[in-house]
Amino acid sequence: MSDASNYPENAPRPDSARPDPPRYTPAEIEPRWQEKWAANPALYRAEPAGTAKPKYYVLEMLPYPSGQLHMGHVRNYSIGDALARYMWMQGYNVLHPMGWDAFGLPAENAALKNNTPPREWTLKNIVAMKRQMQRLGLAYDWANEVTTCLPDYYRWNQWFFLRMYERGLVYRKQSKVNWCNLCATVLANEQVVDGCCWRHEDTLVEQRNLEQWFYRITAYADELLEGLDKLEGWPEKVRTMQRNWIGRSEGTEVDFTLAGDASEKIRVFTTRVDTIFGATSVQLAPEHALVAKLSANNPALKAEVEGLLEQQKQAREAGDIGAIEKHGVPTGAFAVNPYSGEQVPIWVANYILADYGTGAIMSVPGHDERDFEFATKYGLEIRRVIAQADPAAEEPALPFCNEDGVLVNSGEFDGLSCTAAEKKLQEIAAAGSFGEAKVTFRLKDWGVSRQRYWGTPIPMINCPVDGLVPVPDEQLPVLLPEQIAITQQGGSPLSRVPEFLNTTCPRCGGAATRETDTMDTFVDSSWYFYRYTDAKNDKAPFDPAVAQYWFPIDQYIGGVEHAILHLIYSRFFTKMMRDLGLITNAEPATRLFTQGMVIKDGAKMSKSKGNVVSPDDMVTRYGADSTRMYALFAAPPDRDLDWQEDGVAGISRFLARVWRLVTRFAQVARTAEPGGTVGPVAEGLLRKLHQTIAKMTQDFGGRWHFNTSIAAIMELVNELTAAEASLGSGEVPASVVRELLTSLTLLLAPFAPFLSAELWAELGETSEILRAPWPVSNPELARENEIEIPVQVNGKLRSVVKVHAEADRATIEAAALADGKVQEWLGGKAPLKTIIVPGKLVNLVVK
RNA sequence: GCCCGGAUGGCGAAAUCGGCAGACGCAGCGGACUUAAAAUCCGCAGGCCGCAAGGCCGUGGGGGUUCAAGUCCCCCUCCGGGCACCA
């Protein structure tokens, strides 16, 4: 493991004539501790439930094992590791696990390219990345490592699938799906970004019709939405994104009937049923069932509808449906308004979506922006049916979309408020069986089928006699065959593996075939953090009692890019698992932290831009401690971080100063006798120390602005270095030197684990610093005696006076007025107004 | 279009409750040590004027509140992110 020759900047110079003074050599220190820690994995192991310590579950999002950590990972894990180490030092029973999101397409692509089986490629990458993590000194409990591509994990994906199937939370249907040609598979709605594949930003997603498996996430739509209000430990941004994604909308469904055929109903969804007397047309999505009927004997109409559909499809694929130019065609048919009996024309329009609401709307141009635009374009009637509640007010121009008006031109409903009218119209519709109040969601069920090889096989069997038959639990796991030829052919690769495909029906024993699609890999990451609590369990996904102890996660840390994908699926799984009786918590994590991106030269690091900084390279040159600490120092963790290598060098210099300081006086500290006279220098240093402890403790508990925590340690070290002469001379008693140096080392421990472990031993400590108690700030020692108070004249800083920290107003005022510079600026005049903020400032106002 | 962030020295940033703007670090400049360099240490360092003492200006722009505004209020610009015919 030791590779000192790779650290050129710190390597001893063989050509030196004089012996060099000892130096800080991470190249020597870090591998030594790595080996020590690797030999003692129990160090990072959580204690079982039942310990007297309070529990703390800190979790970082697990990586995809690409083979290389990137700086985003380093930042994410440095934050989590600092927190975990701090909580250990605060006496908590900490669970800090790590694992691998190991299924997924890159393994198949690599297999094609290098002729390496996906499993082999993936496991090799895991070994490499785990080594990188250990090199960084990340304190993970590897005893509960989770690797999602191994059967002992994915069998539980299958087990959950079967439990959900039993409860009607899994179903299969033919549906229009998002298809990425490069992935050669289906994508979930959440995986389509701007009309393109989330993995291939330049590849447009196509719409295809396929038979797919779905998870009924919509069964939890309301709970997923309501739960967000209680997730106060989650960033508001993430909660807003999820709210938008769920897209709950309260409204009314109403049946119009086809003029001339009252049995043909056209159900529309509207959030403004109060405006229904202003409906001057009904608009259908091009794929609406009635459109096919109306155009069956009308080739011209059919062709025009085809055109509209094509426009819609293109706009959707371009991800720019908002910019589509509205087009429509009249069908020639009419619909009957159930409230007024009025007949309005039925149109087909390209801006009506078949998969939202009922795929049909009533068009109210007077009170809806879009309908207004459309009606204006095609000369349809625009009618006012809502007026200002205040009769004296001037009537606003149409379209008037406020909901605080009253109904007009609406027959017997005239004069009702919008809200009252909505309620009444809903009641009438329900009583007449032609409509009802209805809640619609934007959230769709989660399509989990993937036509890929490297994923969890879906545990279903298709029997010519019995139809779809679930694989019985005792036959789990349905193993993924390992020796298969990866080709570029489309379709599910498993369908070309006869040993896998052909099986017997569990019900009738006859010949049958297996489902050959695999599961979306987001299934794997939806519940992995439960498995961490009991990763070796081969009877159940985990022991509910153990999960009960650890859950919910106290702090989850990861990138904001997972705000709606992983984080909504995880919440869904948690609710589903709760309903299975496995857990009692309704949400996976109490607190969520989303760290900013790591950028370089103002741009996201990417191979194509050639601005990628390799963590290994940084560690080789500056050491893991410097790399980690820079990741925390360069910016607050929630903001984007611009990686500047000079900054890493700066941290490295700082750590070298700490190393020199502590090693220089370690002997004094080690042999210190208690007591000694604390003079002004020692008092000053102790004050700074205890102020620093207070600040850091506050930072860990609250804002997590580790950049300022580290700056505070630097200030402390600056003061200690400036007082070096006093540390050695005995002016500062050895007992105080000891307190200063041990506390400094402890404060550094969450950020620079290698150096602090080294210095801890250097100071004669034999315990593990990870379990040493976090220092406690003594307010008596931290208090300032004398402070400087700025004095302003007319709001401008003119002088500074020194007063006792607790000086009262009168004392401060007297000191300010006695100051020579202040007197000059007052010019002999008495202040008209005197503002004194004790401990803060004085402002004297003169004319 | 709507909803969130953000804009502070040459650069990354700090100012946590309206109270000394620029802590801490990077880069830079000057000095010490050295034959020389590296490393290290000491010092300077927002802009403008000034030999200096000192003064004036300064937190994206414009207005306002206040004894006092980076911080609060109103309007605007730019950058980043999310959502967007969702009826």
Side-chain angles (χ1 to χ4, degrees):
Chain A
M1 201 56 125
S2 181
D3 47 359
S5 59
N6 289 337
Y7 293 68
E9 319 229 330
N10 292 298
R13 294 178 309 115
D15 60 322
S16 171
R18 290 169 312 288
D20 274 311
R23 303 169 156 251
Y24 168 55
T25 49
E28 187 275 320
I29 295 170
E30 294 184 356
R32 191 149 41 73
W33 287 98
Q34 272 171 39
E35 275 172 39
K36 224 175 140 148
W37 292 333
N40 180 18
L43 186 58
Y44 302 140
R45 192 148 307 159
E47 294 173 36
T51 171
K53 295 176 183 172
K55 70 95 182 175
Y56 196 83
Y57 187 174
V58 54
L59 178 70
E60 297 115 56
M61 290 181 183
L62 87 176
Y64 177 80
S66 63
Q68 277 284 318
L69 284 184
H70 55 69
M71 277 302 169
H73 291 129
V74 172
R75 189 178 196 197
N76 188 176
Y77 307 150
S78 297
I79 296 166
D81 203 55
L83 181 66
R85 287 172 184 275
Y86 172 76
M87 295 310 281
W88 260 308
M89 293 174 80
Q90 283 287 16
Y92 283 80
N93 182 25
V94 176
L95 178 60
H96 188 217
M98 186 41 75
W100 312 98
D101 187 16
F103 270 138
L105 202 52
E108 287 180 61
N109 293 339
L112 265 177
K113 209 167 138 192
N114 314 324
N115 210 21
T116 318
R119 181 188 157 102
E120 193 182 304
W121 182 83
T122 305
L123 296 182
K124 197 185 79 211
N125 287 347
I126 288 173
V127 169
M129 286 174 79
K130 192 168 173 179
R131 218 202 100 251
Q132 286 183 297
M133 288 179 176
Q134 283 169 333
R135 203 172 167 210
L136 281 165
L138 299 168
Y140 293 127
D141 176 4
W142 291 108
N144 280 304
E145 180 177 359
V146 163
T147 304
T148 62
C149 67
L150 298 181
D152 69 345
Y153 184 80
Y154 71 70
R155 69 174 293 183
W156 302 111
N157 284 342
Q158 296 170 339
W159 186 86
F160 280 122
F161 184 100
L162 295 171
R163 298 293 82 75
M164 289 163 78
Y165 184 74
E166 290 160 6
R167 299 178 156 245
L169 290 170
V170 169
Y171 65 94
R172 201 163 112 107
K173 73 167 184 202
Q174 173 93 14
S175 106
K176 197 157 48 149
V177 294
N178 310 299
W179 179 270
C180 171
N181 253 330
L182 275 190
C183 294
T185 188
V186 159
L187 302 175
N189 290 341
E190 288 82 356
Q191 292 161 2
V192 179
V193 180
D194 290 338
C196 293
C197 172
W198 68 302
R199 304 209 83 111
H200 303 101
E201 289 176 14
D202 302 322
T203 305
L204 286 177
V205 168
E206 294 172 21
Q207 304 293 311
R208 288 196 183 181
N209 269 308
L210 281 177
E211 187 82 12
Q212 295 287 297
W213 288 100
F214 287 86
Y215 281 173
R216 203 181 297 278
I217 190 171
T218 54
Y220 290 92
D222 264 318
E223 207 197 331
L224 286 168
L225 182 67
E226 282 158 22
L228 291 171
D229 295 334
K230 285 171 253 157
L231 282 175
E232 281 159 15
W234 285 38
E236 192 52 52
K237 180 185 170 136
V238 171
R239 296 198 278 166
T240 304
M241 283 166 73
Q242 291 208 357
R243 275 191 201 103
N244 288 342
W245 188 260
I246 294 166
R248 186 178 195 274
S249 174
E250 284 183 14
T252 313
E253 284 190 1
V254 179
D255 291 328
F256 282 61
T257 49
L258 187 62
D261 179 5
S263 68
E264 186 69 59
K265 295 188 177 3
I266 308 158
R267 176 155 281 221
V268 304
F269 175 70
T270 176
T271 53
R272 292 296 305 276
V273 72
D274 53 305
T275 64
I276 197 164
F277 284 79
T280 54
S281 67
V282 161
Q283 303 284 342
L284 305 178
E287 290 162 288
H288 194 277
L290 184 61
V291 175
K293 283 190 196 171
L294 293 177
S295 61
N297 298 315
N298 186 343
L301 178 60
K302 202 166 187 168
E304 294 202 71
V305 168
E306 284 298 317
L308 295 172
L309 186 60
E310 187 55 32
Q311 289 158 17
Q312 190 176 79
K313 214 169 134 184
Q314 278 180 10
R316 193 183 282 236
E317 287 178 353
D320 205 13
I321 203 157
I324 190 177
E325 164 97 26
K326 288 184 182 57
H327 288 295
V329 288
T331 61
F334 286 80
V336 180
N337 183 325
Y339 293 98
S340 64
E342 183 184 7
Q343 295 200 1
V344 296
I346 300 174
W347 284 60
V348 184
N350 64 355
Y351 71 99
I352 307 302
L353 308 172
D355 58 0
Y356 183 79
T358 58
I361 64 153
M362 61 179 203
S363 177
V364 185
H367 304 281
D368 182 281
E369 300 271 0
R370 297 154 303 182
D371 295 344
F372 183 85
E373 186 190 334
F374 190 84
T376 306
K377 177 169 175 178
Y378 289 102
L380 293 166
E381 188 195 343
I382 300 169
R383 194 183 295 167
R384 177 187 300 279
V385 290
I386 305 291
Q388 295 270 57
D390 175 5
E394 197 181 322
E395 275 311 330
L398 297 178
F400 175 61
C401 304
N402 294 5
E403 287 176 59
D404 55 0
V406 294
L407 274 67
V408 293
N409 299 328
S410 299
E412 60 188 290
F413 304 100
D414 280 359
L416 285 178
S417 73
C418 291
T419 40
E422 179 180 40
K423 209 171 160 209
K424 189 152 188 187
L425 289 163
Q426 282 174 346
E427 282 164 12
I428 292 170
S433 299
F434 62 84
E436 62 199 322
K438 177 89 181 182
V439 175
T440 297
F441 292 94
R442 209 189 80 118
L443 180 73
K444 299 281 188 319
D445 280 333
W446 174 13
V448 295
S449 300
R450 295 292 179 273
Q451 293 68 47
R452 303 303 321 170
Y453 159 68
W454 193 232
T456 304
I458 290 174
M460 294 295 289
I461 290 168
N462 206 335
C463 171
V465 180
D466 295 303
L468 279 173
V469 182
V471 173
D473 279 5
E474 57 276 13
Q475 289 180 21
L476 295 184
V478 176
L479 285 172
L480 201 54
E482 282 180 24
Q483 299 303 326
I484 84 149
I486 305 283
T487 67
Q488 255 163 333
Q489 274 174 276
S492 297
L494 290 176
S495 65
R496 294 187 290 269
V497 183
E499 314 83 272
F500 177 86
L501 181 66
N502 299 315
T503 185
T504 50
C505 171
R507 218 162 271 167
C508 68
T513 55
R514 291 190 186 279
E515 168 64 60
T516 57
D517 282 357
T518 53
M519 292 182 202
D520 182 2
T521 57
F522 276 100
V523 173
D524 308 336
S525 54
S526 292
W527 68 279
Y528 73 100
F529 32 80
Y530 291 97
R531 183 72 180 170
Y532 278 149
T533 63
D534 192 18
K536 300 279 188 285
N537 198 324
D538 61 0
K539 304 283 183 292
F542 52 85
D543 179 346
V546 177
Q548 166 98 33
Y549 170 74
W550 285 109
F551 271 81
I553 296 160
D554 294 280
Q555 184 68 61
Y556 197 13
I557 307 167
V560 73
E561 65 273 17
H562 292 108
I564 43 180
L565 287 156
H566 164 58
L567 289 171
I568 214 164
Y569 296 146
S570 293
R571 295 183 60 223
F572 161 56
F573 252 72
T574 288
K575 291 172 196 309
M576 177 277 288
M577 288 158 71
R578 176 204 56 200
D579 291 348
L580 289 179
L582 286 172
I583 51 175
T584 54
N585 51 297
E587 296 287 349
T590 319
R591 285 168 55 88
L592 170 72
F593 187 89
T594 51
Q595 89 267 4
M597 278 191 311
V598 180
I599 57 179
K600 177 96 198 301
D601 309 322
K604 195 174 168 175
M605 286 188 190
S606 74
K607 274 185 207 146
S608 59
K609 290 194 192 87
N611 60 350
V612 176
V613 178
S614 132
D616 263 343
D617 192 39
M618 285 295 124
V619 174
T620 299
R621 280 201 262 176
Y622 302 101
D625 282 336
S626 297
T627 305
R628 295 173 52 152
M629 207 154 148
Y630 175 72
L632 297 175
F633 177 69
D638 51 336
R639 289 247 288 261
D640 285 352
L641 182 158
D642 194 61
W643 194 270
Q644 295 184 2
E645 196 172 325
D646 285 340
V648 190
I651 293 288
S652 174
R653 275 197 294 273
F654 167 70
L655 291 179
R657 287 176 65 206
V658 173
W659 185 87
R660 283 195 300 271
L661 176 74
V662 176
T663 50
R664 191 166 297 159
F665 298 104
Q667 181 63 25
V668 176
R670 263 203 305 268
T671 56
E673 298 288 334
T677 310
V678 177
V681 177
E683 203 177 283
L685 293 176
L686 283 171
R687 185 181 306 126
K688 188 69 183 177
L689 171 67
H690 283 268
Q691 288 172 348
T692 308
I693 295 169
K695 183 187 165 27
M696 286 198 54
T697 308
Q698 201 189 347
D699 277 347
F700 267 107
R703 317 192 295 163
W704 284 20
H705 278 202
F706 301 129
N707 52 331
T708 60
S709 306
I710 294 169
I713 301 179
M714 287 173 170
E715 285 188 49
L716 172 64
V717 170
N718 287 348
E719 287 207 11
L720 290 172
T721 311
E724 266 192 36
S726 313
L727 296 181
S729 70
E731 187 182 352
V732 175
S735 63
V736 173
V737 173
R738 177 171 181 79
E739 181 183 350
L740 290 167
L741 298 187
T742 52
S743 297
L744 168 64
T745 304
L746 290 167
L747 293 178
L748 217 46
F751 305 134
F754 291 107
L755 177 62
S756 54
E758 177 80 5
L759 296 178
W760 192 242
E762 192 76 16
L763 287 166
E765 300 286 349
T766 50
S767 66
E768 283 294 343
I769 191 167
L770 189 66
R771 303 302 166 103
W774 184 253
V776 177
S777 174
N778 179 341
E780 295 292 315
L781 294 177
R783 185 185 302 133
E784 296 280 356
N785 300 322
E786 203 175 45
I787 54 168
E788 292 190 332
I789 302 234
V791 183
Q792 299 178 337
V793 177
N794 288 338
K796 292 200 174 180
L797 180 71
R798 295 306 180 188
S799 188
V800 174
V801 293
K802 276 193 177 173
V803 295
H804 189 269
E806 263 105 65
D808 60 12
R809 286 168 175 277
T811 315
I812 296 170
E813 183 173 4
L817 291 171
D819 185 83
K821 274 187 238 155
V822 171
Q823 286 176 357
E824 252 175 68
W825 281 96
L826 289 176
K829 284 177 272 188
L832 292 174
K833 192 165 182 179
T834 305
I835 287 108
I836 297 166
V837 186
K840 288 282 188 194
L841 114 168
V842 175
N843 189 6
L844 304 170
V845 184
V846 288
K847 188 68 184 145

